[in-house]
Amino acid sequence: GGNAPSLKRLYLLIDSRLPQPTLLDLSVMGWCDDYAIPYTLVLTKVDGSSRAHCVKLTNQLCMRYHSLYLGTNHDDYEGD
């Protein structure tokens, strides 16, 4: 019924060893955005990635957020 507690926040684990977030990662972020579910991205396995790659991945994820809420498009942003 209606007595189930609501989700307060989702922690989405992103594998930093991959070149970019997976389609599933992006889908979950989109779902959370569509349903106004607060979420926090957590980069995992950073000890297996270069610092530069982690910074690039973080920038890509931040630019995605920026483009969603400020109406700019940075899909081709490379973070260089």
Side-chain angles (χ1 to χ4, degrees):
N3 294 334
S6 62
L7 183 63
K8 301 289 184 195
R9 176 165 296 276
L10 177 80
Y11 290 89
L12 181 58
L13 306 179
I14 306 286
D15 187 342
S16 68
R17 298 173 304 170
L18 300 177
Q20 58 191 16
T22 67
L23 181 58
L24 181 60
D25 295 332
L26 297 173
S27 296
V28 171
M29 286 187 271
W31 180 78
C32 288
D33 293 334
D34 290 346
Y35 291 95
I37 296 170
Y39 62 98
T40 298
L41 302 177
V42 179
L43 289 183
T44 64
K45 304 173 185 170
V46 295
D47 56 333
S49 299
S50 71
R51 180 182 178 106
H53 175 69
C54 289
V55 168
K56 180 178 178 180
L57 185 58
T58 301
N59 286 339
Q60 287 173 335
L61 292 166
C62 289
M63 292 309 294
R64 176 191 177 279
Y65 178 84
H66 183 267
S67 66
L68 282 175
Y69 290 97
L70 297 179
T72 57
N73 187 352
H74 293 282
D75 290 341
D76 58 349
Y77 179 72
E78 291 296 324
D80 296 329

